[in-house]
Amino acid sequence: MKRTAPILILLACLLWPVAAQACSACGAGREDRNQKAFLSTTLLLSFLPLGMIGGGLWWLNGRVRERFPDEFVDRDA
Amino acid sequence: MVMHITDPAILELPRRRKLTENGVLGMALVVFVEVMFFAGFISAYLIVESAALPGLWPPPNQPRLPVERTAFNSVVLLASGVVLAFAQRSFLRRGAGTRRLMGIAILLGAFFVVFQGAEWLALIAQGLTMTSSQLGSFFYLIVGAHAVHAVAALIGLGFAWRALASGRLTASFFGAAQLFWYFVVLMWPVIYALVYL
């Protein structure tokens, strides 16, 4: 079992690129322009929500500092 | 058994301070979802557009979208957002001109929606329909979804305007209505740039 495990892992790794073809950004675009559209929209849909969450946290941080400057004074003292 | 709090230290607790109004926070979450809703539509549109054969987008047998007239209408919508920002400043200062500014913003927004409706009628008469082509399907889906949001936001602003007239407008409601309108205003240039240009 100890000898066969690395071989099985290696085979699984070899199968990965085939699985990646199921990803629309990797395999669906037949032409360069179409491939770029898939890639750019995948990036948009991946990072837009993260950017909005990050922006919300950044705003929240600024708002806390502005509205509650003395909020943690007792705790930090 | 009824308990009465008599401890002066408890009775004199300061009111809970808020980071933002409840309505604004709730609307921010709605806007987050709506941004992703439009991002999904726009992504699908870009994929279909990129898959078209060279020279075949927009489809040759379909009317051209009214780029110049819609550019003018876009300026009207942006102006509505700017006027509403002035209305908010006036509201915070309890200025007398808030209601007038809000009214102007609502009228500009209503002009945008009516103008878009007129453009739609012209395009349908020229043969661009939901089923005439992929351009037509995406155009009415994306621009139509935006128009529905614009109408909903205008209704919200209308309620805010009425509440202001009777002295019942809260900062929470006004902030929420305002945030939704800003979303409608700022989403439009993105749609215009991607669909019309």
Side-chain angles (χ1 to χ4, degrees), chain B residues 29-53:
Chain B
L29 293 173
V30 171
V31 166
F32 179 94
V33 174
E34 297 296 326
V35 167
M36 293 312 299
F37 172 80
F38 278 99
F41 280 160
I42 288 168
S43 295
Y45 173 78
L46 291 176
I47 296 293
V48 168
E49 185 196 16
S50 71
L53 292 172

Side-chain angles (χ1 to χ4, degrees), chain B residues 78-150:
Chain B
L78 291 171
S80 167
V82 172
V83 174
L84 191 64
F86 281 117
Q88 188 216 11
R89 281 181 63 180
S90 174
F91 178 73
L92 292 174
R93 290 183 197 155
R94 305 196 183 284
T98 309
R99 196 159 170 245
R100 186 166 46 86
L101 287 168
M102 268 180 80
I104 293 170
I106 292 169
L107 284 176
L108 287 170
F111 176 87
F112 170 83
V113 173
V114 172
F115 196 91
Q116 282 293 98
E119 291 293 345
W120 276 32
L121 291 176
L123 285 170
I124 289 168
Q126 290 168 32
L128 186 74
T129 67
M130 277 289 279
T131 52
S132 63
S133 64
Q134 284 183 320
L135 172 67
S137 303
F138 274 109
F139 175 78
Y140 290 110
L141 185 69
I142 297 173
V143 180
H146 183 268
V148 169
H149 283 76

Side-chain angles (χ1 to χ4, degrees), chain A residues 33-34 37-38 41 44-45 48-49 52-53 59-60 63-64 67-68 70-71, chain B residues 17-20 31-32 35-36 39-40 42-43 46-47 49-53:
Chain A
R33 202 164 153 259
N34 197 210
F38 268 106
T41 54
L44 172 76
L45 292 175
L48 184 61
M52 283 195 291
I53 291 168
W59 176 83
L60 200 63
R63 194 82 167 174
V64 169
R67 289 216 167 177
F68 309 134
D70 56 340
E71 185 74 359
Chain B
R17 291 176 297 176
K18 286 180 181 176
L19 271 179
T20 185
V31 166
F32 179 94
V35 167
M36 293 312 299
I42 288 168
S43 295
L46 291 176
I47 296 293
E49 185 196 16
S50 71
L53 292 172

